[in-house]
Structure formats: C-alpha cells, structure tokens
Amino acid sequence: MCTSVASEQQILAVGCSRGVVELYDLAENTRHIRTISLYDWGYSVEDTGPVACISWTPDNCALAVGWKFRGLTVWSVSGCRLMCTIRQTGSNSASSPMVKPSALKFEPLMGGTSHIQWDDNGYKLFAVEESLSERVLAFSFAKCCPNRGLSGTTYSHQVLYGEDRILLVQPDDADELKILHLNVPNWPVLHVVASNDGMYLAVAGSHGLVLYDLRNKRWRFFGDVTQEQKIQCKGLLWMRKIVIVCNYVESSNTYELLFFPRYHLDYSSLLYRKQLLGRPIVMDVFQDYILVTYSPFDVHIYHVVVSGELSPASNPVLKLSTLRELSIMSPKSPPVSMRFIPEQNDKGALTEDTHGFSDLLSQQPSRCLILRTNGELSVLDMDDGHEHTLTNSIELFWVTCSQFEEKGSLIKEVSWLDYGHRGMQVWYPSHGADRFKQEDFLQLDPELEFDREVYPLGLLPNVGVVVGVSQRMSFSTAEFPCFEPSPQAQTILHCLLRHLLQRDKIEEALLLANLSAEKPHFSHCLEWLLFTVFDADISRPSASKNQASQKVDSPKKSLLEKTCDLLRNFPEYMDVVVSVARKTDGRHWADLFSAAGRSTEMFEECFQQRWYRTAACYILVIAKLEGPAVSQYCALRLLQATLDESLYELAGELVRFLLRSGRDFENATSDSEKLSPRFLGYFLFRSPYKRQSSDLKSNSTKELSPHIASVMNILERHASYLMSGKELSKLVAFVKGTQFDLVEYLQRERQGSARLENFASALELIGQKLQMDTLQSRLDAEFLLAHMCSVKFKEWIVVLATLLRRTEVLVDLFQHDLRLWKAYSITLQSHDVFREYLDLLNILEEQLSSVSDLTLQNGPLS
C-alpha cells in the first residue's frame, strides 16, 4: 500500500493491505527484520483497514503509521508502541475489542488517516483525517535523550525534551516517579545533557547555550548576546564542572570544541578552544578523557588536565593532549554511538574506596562499546584494534560500570545494559581469561522485559531501577483526548543479587542488599529474587536434580540455599518465603522449605515476634507438609493470639480454616489417637454445653465434635471477656469478623456475662464506651440493638435505645409496662449526669400519653 525508507539505518518500511508494517534491512539484501501491528492489542485489519501512510522521524528512530479506516500509531524501530490514537478498551484478546460508538466520539482520526508528516526536528507530527481533509491535526512530541551521536549520556537524571520544554523524570518524597515540566528560554531545543553530579542541565537550541541550576531553579545565560549567537551547538558533553560544546563555525565551515566552566558562560572565561579536523560523528567523555570520532571511522582520544580550582575567584588553566589516534578500516555500517568502558576493579567493586582506587579509575580506558546504525553492538579494543561483535537489533545501551561514584549506587556490578527487539539485557563484568568471551559476561534477564508500551530512558542508580516512559490518554468531553507521558520503573536489584550469588560473592551481595534495604519495593525485590531462583530450581530436568541430590557430601550450597541464607539477614525473610510459597505449586513446597527452613519453626518465629498475619500464611504450608493435626494446633494458638490483639478479620479467616480443616483432622483418626493431651494443650477440651442439631446446622445430635468445641470455646471466652468489660465496639467487630452467633450467645448468657446489674450505671458506662458522637459507634449500637430486640433482652434494649434516642423502640416497650416507664423516668430525672436525656423524656411522655391503652406489667426495671 505504501513504503518509506529510513535512510540513515537503511530500513525499508512496507505498509500492507492486511494492516501490518513489514521492516526490511536494505543493507543486507532486504532481509526481513520484523512485523509491526496492532494485533497484540486486539485490533485487526477489520478495525483499522489497510496501512495508508508511513513517515519516519528525521533521526530515523521512530516511524508513524496511519490506517485508512481508523487511527494513527508511532512505533520505535524495535517495535515499542510509543503513541496510539486508538482507544484501548481492554486487555489483549484474540478478537477485536468492541467499542461503543459514544467512545469513538472524541477519538482523533477515527475516520482514518490519509497523510502524515513530521516537522524538521521531529517535535510535531501533522496528520490529515481521511474524512475531514480540510483540517490538519498537529501532535506534539517529546524525545528522549538519544545517548548517541555528539551528545553525552545523561546518567544522573532521565530527561525528555520537547520543542519548548524539558520533561524531567524525578522521584518524589515517596520515591514515586513524577515528570516535571520545565519551560526553556531558547528553543527549539536540540540538545540536553545533565551534569554528572546531577546539579545542572546544559540546554542548546539552534543558537546559543543555557545552563539550568536544578538546586536553585535558576537559568544561567551568556551575558553577551552576540557571543551566544556565534554558538551553533552540534553536540554537548559534561566533564565534571566543565561543559563541552561542539560548535559549528559557519563562516569557516569548521568544527571546534569549546570548554566553558559552568559558573560563567562567557568567552572571557573560556578554558580552551580545540579545532577539530572535520565534522565529528560520535563523541564521548569519561573522567579526564574525550573520544572524538570522524567519518568513516577515525578515533581520536584526548586527555584533559585542569590546573587550579574551577571557581570565579581563581584562574584555572586547561591543557588538552592527544593520547592516541586510530583509523579503523571496516566494511560495517558507521557508528552512531561509542562509549568508554572503564577498567573494572574486580575485588573492590562494592567495598570502601582504598588509596589505590582513585589511581585505578584514572587509568586510561582501553575498550569502548560501539553501536552501529544497523543495531549491531560490539566491543573495540583500542590497544590492538580488535573488534568483537556482541549482539544485534539494539536501539540503546548504557555503560554503568564505574559511572556512579555515589556510595548508595546499586549498579556497580553491572558493565552495561542494552535495549532492543529482545527487550532489556544486562551485561555483567567478565572474569574469564578471554574478556571478549560472550558467555562469560552476558546474562539475559527475562524479568527485565518492559511492557511493549514502555520505552526505557535510563537508570536511577540510587534507587536501583530502570526508568521507562509510556503514553497515557485521558478522554473527556473535549474534542481531543489529553496525551500525557507516564514514567514507569523496573527494579534491577534482584538481578544484581542473583548474579552475585551465582558467582559466590556472598559478602558483596549482602552489602548491596543492605544498601538497598531502605529503598522502595525492597521486599518485592527480595521476593522476586527468591521466586526466580526457586522457579529455575524446580524447572530443572529431573536428571540434573537427581545428580544434585546424590552430591550430599559436597559442601557447596545450591543457589536456592545461598539465596535463603542471604534473605535470612533481613526481617522481610518470613514474609518473602511464604509469599513465594503461595505463588508456587504446593507439590514443590518441600523443596522450598528444605532450603528455607522447617515451616513449623518459621511459624513459631513469626508467632513469637507477633507477626500474626505472616504466621497465618504458614498454616496452609504446615497443613501440607506436617499434616492437619499440627496445622490445627498452630491455628488454635494463633486464633487465641489474634483475638487478644483484636485482629478480628484475621481471626475470622482462622476460624474458617479450622472448621474446614477439622474434617481432615477427624478423618485422620489413627493420627489423632496418637496425639497426647499435652500436645493439644488446653484447646481440645469438651464443650461445657450441648446443642441440638438445628443450632449446629449439622448432623450432630448430642455434642459438638472436639475440633468445633475447641474453636467455639475460644470464641465464647473472648465474647464473654468483651461483654463483661462492655467493650461493645470490639464485640461488634468480633461478631462481624468471625461470624460468631451472637443471638445464641445472648440467649444463654442472659443471666451471665450479658446481665446488666443496674440501669443507671449501665447507661453511664455503655455511653462512655460507645462514644455516640461518632458514626461508627452509632452503627455499632444499632447492630447490637437489633440483636437485643431479636432475643427480647429488655435491659439492653432500654439502654441502647436511649443512647440512640430511638423513641419508637422505647414507646413500644413502655406502652406495655407502665412500671418500667416510671422507673426509667425517675432514674433519668434523679441523676444530674443524665440531663441530656430530659428532652427525650418529654418526647416519650408526650407520645405515651397519646396511647389510650396502657397495660401494667409486674416486671421491675431492676
């Protein structure tokens, strides 16, 4: 239907009648790369129609696709869906989602797309609707820092930039990612790079350069406008407190490097000017070293030395010297990004800095990573010119080793990460004899795969996450929806810990975990670590498991055992283990707890630490591994403890478990007969009362079974405790949480714990306990009143109805018992504390006087 070529990457995009886009590599005999479609989002060609138009961004990093019947979508080269106008109504499905006509009312391009075109800088995408050709729609875009070409990598902050603004991804006080919009004075924005310490942003437009102080929220400009206009920035780098500008001199058609201190933008403060040999294609900086690459592949390495302090009060001097020049002849496609690979300190990566550590970091890097236009990632040894291909289909990569010198950095054990069609890949340092041997330092982490709508921006080292961004749409009554980039986070801590444990770096793993203990989602990271290790362990072929089990005498621990040993150092351990157990098949629990510890001992630890919710989770594990008798015993102990702590919802879950599993307990008669009374403790005693079968709602005709009697006795003792202390709000929560039969209890305890000895003292005490000025207390009183009425408990009805001022209940009671009314009236009038009820007395007296038939009853109020 249509085609479009990404000239830089030599990719041909073919739009097809079946609604998909096929990508082909023109540099490799039109090899098919991949297919891009909306099928995975539940839309077929019947919904969108054939592809009508395709347009690549000017930098060839993304392509826009319009369909004839409906919608427009922007994709990255690797197939990440960056933006879509089609409203997503549900999760992925095989069939097309049904969308109501009203939902389409405010959807852009719902009539199809006939033409699309990007502006010169890729900030705006213009589209013409098939059915409304008289108007043009303009969609504004923000771009992520490309980490390629002549701009440096932004490690300290994750940045998007639009035509007139910067979108800064920052964690808030709760470490949740937010996007801060920062309006830029010089636009259109072409380059944005953050300083290594994260304090400044360098921003360049078509002319000029400005700095933004993130701490003080102030812009820093050139004082002389004529100087600013002389700068046509083609690239930006930070070298500590120096900003390096790759400047194009139009008058002489030459390129130069300008070194400005960040405290003063003026040619009078210019530290150094370096004339370049030609137009550079790639630049990078690491510590005191600068890499400049010219076409076709000439690499120059410079060393920078600064004498004096970089401050307005001093007069610093910068010297630049050439360290090496390489001219590499290669038939491969040209590079789009090159990054130094710092030399690794194998033993001290996660330990305190030593005296020799700074010397080690100052060594000249001898290797660099190369990303070519065709997506090939390779390592170049600059000592001998040897280049080793690592992988392909890569869009982005981040060199992480030795980039973050902060004490709280969590990613020092990673060499680099890359992102492409296969998702995110983590590369760990090589310790083998051949440092280019791929299997020595490549490890794919499938858990790092982002959703195909989340595009990774980079790393937040102090939080230990990979940051991505996705497009969100909100629909309203306006003609068009609101498009908003939404930051997403993917933790990498579990990957790093597993890597260290696999290499027996136990101390380093513990140090890294301690550094992360205060980070958000730490417990989730530990759980994900144990789950992935355990899942891999149980997924191994049975043959390898048998071989491992035969090596009983081997002192070397399995990865699962080392993981559990690491997790034992943290209070989250008990929670993590049982959470992983609940996410896996119960048939494998024995394998998990053989490494994690015996389930009854872990339950006991939780019980002693009063971690009752966690302890409750172990009950099912104990039932599976130790049998119903042991689980009943543990559950009964826990039930009593949760009642003492007023954890009634948890107590209700335990009651339901006990009654359900009690049948298994009774069926195992042979085991039950072997249990001594001492083992069952004081829980398995006979019930002091008997019930009829109608009360039990079971086939029992004489007496409760032992397991039910144990549960009911615990519940009734607690109910009596609450009733005796008039803890009525807790009583209501107890009844609701455990489904305790309050009606039957009240009938039996009318003359026992539920008896009210004196109306006046009862009214005063219950009024203080319930605190009737709150809504919840009134609801509790209503709940109790309903139950008291159902058992005709007069004393309680009078008290509760008075507190609730339920005149209709009191009139119904007093009109048949005049003596009760008189005693009630005298009591309220004779106690000063009850003056607030005098208005209630007047209302009651008025209503009772209107009742013609008053029948005297002999029952005293007591």
Side-chain angles (χ1 to χ4, degrees):
M1 304 299 293
C2 57
T3 62
S4 182
V5 175
S7 56
E8 181 180 330
Q9 301 190 39
Q10 292 292 292
I11 296 177
L12 171 67
V14 180
C16 303
S17 59
R18 64 182 189 278
V20 304
V21 177
E22 305 285 0
L23 299 183
Y24 297 92
D25 188 347
L26 297 179
E28 296 186 15
N29 298 321
T30 61
R31 175 182 60 87
H32 182 261
I33 302 175
R34 66 186 59 92
T35 301
I36 293 177
S37 73
L38 286 175
Y39 289 168
D40 290 341
W41 284 267
Y43 289 96
S44 65
V45 66
E46 286 77 15
D47 302 292
T48 63
V51 177
C53 44
I54 300 174
S55 179
W56 287 91
T57 56
D59 58 7
N60 291 171
C61 291
L63 70 157
V65 179
W67 286 274
K68 186 175 181 60
F69 295 164
R70 178 187 178 191
L72 167 70
T73 299
V74 178
W75 309 83
S76 74
V77 178
S78 63
C80 181
R81 197 179 78 166
L82 306 177
M83 171 265 192
C84 183
T85 63
I86 300 177
R87 187 168 188 163
Q88 188 67 35
T89 57
S91 58
N92 301 349
S93 60
S95 60
S96 300
M98 298 300 294
V99 182
K100 298 180 181 179
S102 60
L104 296 174
K105 183 178 180 181
F106 306 109
E107 181 181 297
L109 302 169
M110 55 181 284
T113 307
S114 60
H115 297 87
I116 51 178
Q117 178 65 46
W118 293 92
D119 70 355
D120 291 342
N121 294 314
Y123 289 124
K124 279 189 170 61
L125 176 63
F126 302 100
V128 177
E129 191 166 355
E130 184 77 27
S131 58
L132 293 171
S133 58
E134 67 274 9
R135 69 175 183 179
V136 177
L137 302 182
F139 298 91
S140 295
F141 281 79
K143 300 190 287 188
C144 65
C145 292
N147 296 339
R148 57 173 60 196
L150 304 179
S151 290
T153 301
T154 297
Y155 288 104
S156 55
H157 290 284
Q158 306 313 318
V159 176
L160 294 161
Y161 57 95
E163 186 175 25
D164 61 348
R165 71 190 59 206
I166 293 173
L167 282 66
L168 194 63
V169 180
Q170 289 182 323
D172 58 14
D173 295 337
D175 282 320
E176 296 294 330
L177 296 179
K178 303 293 182 183
I179 288 186
L180 172 67
H181 288 248
L182 185 64
N183 291 324
V184 177
N186 60 335
W187 53 276
V189 178
L190 298 181
H191 304 278
V192 179
V193 182
S195 61
N196 297 335
D197 57 11
M199 295 176 61
Y200 281 83
L201 292 177
V203 183
S206 55
H207 287 83
L209 170 72
V210 294
L211 303 180
Y212 183 71
D213 188 336
L214 289 166
R215 179 178 299 176
N216 298 318
K217 297 180 172 55
R218 296 180 60 183
W219 290 99
R220 181 165 294 160
F221 303 87
F222 272 90
D224 189 337
V225 177
T226 58
Q227 292 185 12
E228 185 178 50
Q229 290 300 313
K230 291 180 181 179
I231 294 180
Q232 294 188 41
C233 181
K234 302 300 180 182
L236 275 178
L237 298 170
W238 278 99
M239 178 179 283
R240 296 189 175 92
K241 297 181 180 181
I242 301 172
V243 59
I244 305 173
V245 181
C246 178
N247 184 41
Y248 172 64
V249 183
E250 189 173 8
S251 58
S252 59
N253 192 26
T254 58
Y255 293 83
E256 62 183 2
L257 296 182
L258 304 178
F259 294 75
F260 289 101
R262 70 183 186 187
Y263 58 79
H264 192 205
L265 290 180
D266 193 274
Y267 273 93
S268 63
S269 299
L270 183 66
L271 298 173
Y272 196 82
R273 185 196 302 262
K274 169 65 178 176
Q275 293 294 329
L276 298 180
L277 302 179
R279 176 180 175 270
I281 57 174
V282 171
M283 292 197 312
D284 186 35
V285 64
F286 173 70
Q287 292 186 354
D288 301 326
Y289 301 94
I290 302 175
L291 178 148
V292 179
T293 302
Y294 305 96
S295 182
F297 202 169
D298 294 332
V299 182
H300 292 238
I301 309 295
Y302 302 101
H303 184 239
V304 176
V305 176
V306 179
S307 302
E309 184 183 359
L310 281 172
S311 68
S314 62
N315 187 23
V317 176
L318 186 147
K319 295 182 180 180
L320 187 125
S321 59
T322 302
L323 286 184
R324 68 172 71 193
E325 298 178 0
L326 294 87
S327 183
I328 300 174
M329 305 298 293
S330 173
K332 296 182 178 181
S333 57
V336 293
S337 180
M338 295 177 66
R339 296 289 179 256
F340 284 118
I341 302 177
E343 298 299 325
Q344 289 287 119
N345 181 16
D346 182 34
K347 296 182 180 180
L350 285 174
T351 57
E352 293 294 329
D353 290 349
T354 61
H355 293 294
F357 189 64
S358 59
D359 294 335
L360 179 66
L361 288 180
S362 64
Q363 291 180 3
Q364 174 189 347
S366 61
R367 296 184 297 167
C368 69
L369 274 178
I370 303 174
L371 177 63
R372 299 184 181 274
T373 55
N374 63 352
E376 179 186 281
L377 186 66
S378 59
V379 174
L380 172 67
D381 189 328
M382 291 182 289
D383 289 335
D384 57 15
H386 173 71
E387 184 178 348
H388 180 79
T389 301
L390 300 175
T391 184
N392 53 27
S393 297
I394 300 301
E395 278 190 56
L396 301 171
F397 71 92
W398 303 269
V399 176
T400 58
C401 53
S402 301
Q403 291 288 349
F404 309 106
E405 300 179 13
E406 299 93 338
K407 186 176 180 180
S409 176
L410 306 183
I411 57 175
K412 294 181 180 179
E413 271 294 313
V414 176
S415 289
W416 59 83
L417 296 92
D418 65 45
Y419 172 79
H421 181 60
R422 288 178 294 271
M424 187 75 70
Q425 296 180 131
V426 180
W427 297 73
Y428 297 103
S430 171
H431 303 283
D434 181 4
R435 59 182 177 178
F436 294 106
K437 189 177 179 182
Q438 181 169 345
E439 56 268 25
D440 266 357
F441 59 100
L442 166 64
Q443 178 168 331
L444 297 178
D445 277 303
E447 311 90 72
L448 281 181
E449 290 184 4
F450 275 80
D451 186 281
R452 289 178 59 197
E453 296 179 20
V454 180
Y455 194 79
L457 299 179
L459 303 162
L460 287 180
N462 290 335
V463 186
V465 297
V466 177
V467 180
V469 66
S470 63
Q471 185 71 68
R472 292 288 180 263
M473 278 198 303
S474 59
F475 291 84
S476 64
T477 57
E479 183 178 5
F480 297 111
C482 176
F483 292 87
E484 180 183 4
S486 175
Q488 310 288 327
Q490 169 80 51
T491 179
I492 60 174
L493 175 61
H494 59 287
C495 303
L496 307 183
L497 291 175
R498 185 177 63 246
H499 162 72
L500 291 171
L501 293 174
Q502 285 173 332
R503 300 199 172 194
D504 290 325
K505 292 189 173 184
I506 309 301
E507 294 182 2
E508 290 88 340
L510 180 57
L511 179 58
L512 176 61
N514 281 322
L515 284 174
S516 317
E518 301 300 324
K519 305 298 180 183
H521 316 303
F522 176 65
S523 179
H524 173 73
C525 293
L526 297 185
E527 181 181 333
W528 194 232
L529 168 66
L530 181 59
F531 176 81
T532 53
V533 170
F534 179 54
D535 184 65
D537 186 75
I538 62 179
S539 300
R540 285 184 300 154
S542 56
S544 61
K545 286 186 179 181
N546 293 335
Q547 293 176 2
S549 62
Q550 291 173 3
K551 299 179 182 180
V552 180
D553 299 331
S554 176
K556 188 174 182 180
K557 293 184 176 181
S558 67
L559 180 59
L560 178 61
E561 291 172 328
K562 288 187 286 188
T563 302
C564 291
D565 289 344
L566 172 67
L567 267 56
R568 283 190 183 94
N569 293 282
F570 302 95
E572 294 87 353
Y573 178 63
M574 300 295 176
D575 260 324
V576 166
V577 172
V578 76
S579 295
V580 170
R582 296 173 68 181
K583 291 178 173 64
T584 53
D585 194 325
R587 294 175 299 176
H588 303 296
W589 285 354
D591 296 330
L592 174 62
F593 284 90
S594 65
R598 190 168 180 177
S599 57
T600 50
E601 295 176 356
M602 300 180 77
F603 167 84
E604 190 64 32
E605 174 69 18
C606 294
F607 188 83
Q608 296 299 328
Q609 296 290 341
R610 304 165 74 92
W611 300 333
Y612 295 138
R613 296 187 185 279
T614 305
C617 296
Y618 278 94
I619 297 294
L620 287 177
V621 178
I622 294 173
K624 177 74 174 179
L625 300 181
E626 306 292 340
V630 180
S631 66
Q632 282 267 316
Y633 169 65
C634 294
L636 286 168
R637 291 178 60 204
L638 188 57
L639 174 61
Q640 183 65 64
T642 55
L643 292 175
D644 294 342
E645 294 291 332
S646 302
L647 302 173
Y648 296 124
E649 289 186 6
L650 181 57
E653 295 178 13
L654 290 168
V655 168
R656 289 186 285 276
F657 167 80
L658 284 163
L659 298 180
R660 183 176 64 252
S661 65
R663 292 188 295 270
D664 300 331
F665 178 76
E666 290 179 337
N667 292 336
T669 53
S670 59
D671 294 336
S672 298
E673 291 170 358
K674 296 177 184 178
L675 293 175
S676 65
R678 183 178 180 182
F679 174 77
L680 293 178
Y682 61 93
F683 295 107
L684 292 182
F685 44 73
R686 290 167 59 88
S687 172
Y689 58 92
K690 299 180 181 180
R691 300 188 198 172
Q692 298 301 319
S693 59
S694 58
D695 294 328
L696 283 173
K697 300 179 182 179
S698 68
N699 295 325
S700 176
T701 57
K702 291 184 178 182
E703 191 173 295
L704 292 175
S705 58
H707 70 275
I708 295 180
S710 303
V711 176
M712 295 310 300
N713 273 282
I714 293 175
L715 296 179
E716 290 184 6
R717 280 206 313 275
H718 190 70
S720 297
Y721 164 76
L722 295 177
M723 184 63 83
S724 299
K726 302 302 180 288
E727 301 289 345
L728 301 183
S729 292
K730 288 186 178 181
L731 179 64
V732 173
F734 163 72
V735 172
K736 291 180 178 180
T738 63
Q739 302 299 308
F740 180 71
D741 191 345
L742 182 60
V743 171
E744 184 181 357
Y745 172 78
L746 292 173
Q747 289 174 340
R748 189 172 58 257
E749 294 294 326
R750 184 184 291 268
Q751 299 301 321
S753 60
R755 177 181 173 85
L756 296 178
E757 297 294 340
N758 180 275
F759 168 70
S761 60
L763 180 62
E764 183 178 3
L765 177 61
I766 295 173
Q768 294 173 353
K769 291 285 187 179
L770 281 178
Q771 295 293 323
M772 298 302 293
D773 55 340
T774 64
L775 176 61
Q776 186 58 52
S777 295
R778 295 187 65 83
L779 293 175
D780 293 343
E782 292 281 4
F783 179 86
L784 290 172
L785 179 60
H787 283 77
M788 298 302 176
C789 290
S790 65
V791 297
K792 300 179 180 179
F793 208 150
K794 274 188 179 181
E795 293 91 330
W796 277 96
I797 293 174
V798 173
V799 172
L800 294 172
T802 301
L803 292 172
L804 290 167
R805 297 179 179 272
R806 292 285 298 275
T807 56
E808 73 280 5
V809 176
L810 293 171
V811 168
D812 183 63
L813 186 66
F814 293 149
Q815 69 178 339
H816 301 296
D817 194 338
L818 187 59
R819 183 176 298 177
L820 182 61
W821 155 247
K822 288 182 178 180
Y824 176 83
S825 176
I826 293 172
T827 302
L828 294 184
Q829 294 179 31
S830 60
H831 292 76
D832 292 339
V833 72
F834 298 140
R835 286 182 178 178
E836 59 180 304
Y837 299 110
L838 294 181
D839 60 333
L840 176 64
L841 274 177
N842 294 333
I843 296 173
L844 289 174
E845 186 172 3
E846 181 181 343
Q847 293 187 11
L848 286 171
S849 63
S850 64
V851 179
S852 57
D853 183 18
L854 290 177
T855 304
L856 293 177
Q857 298 292 335
N858 295 323
L861 180 61
S862 183

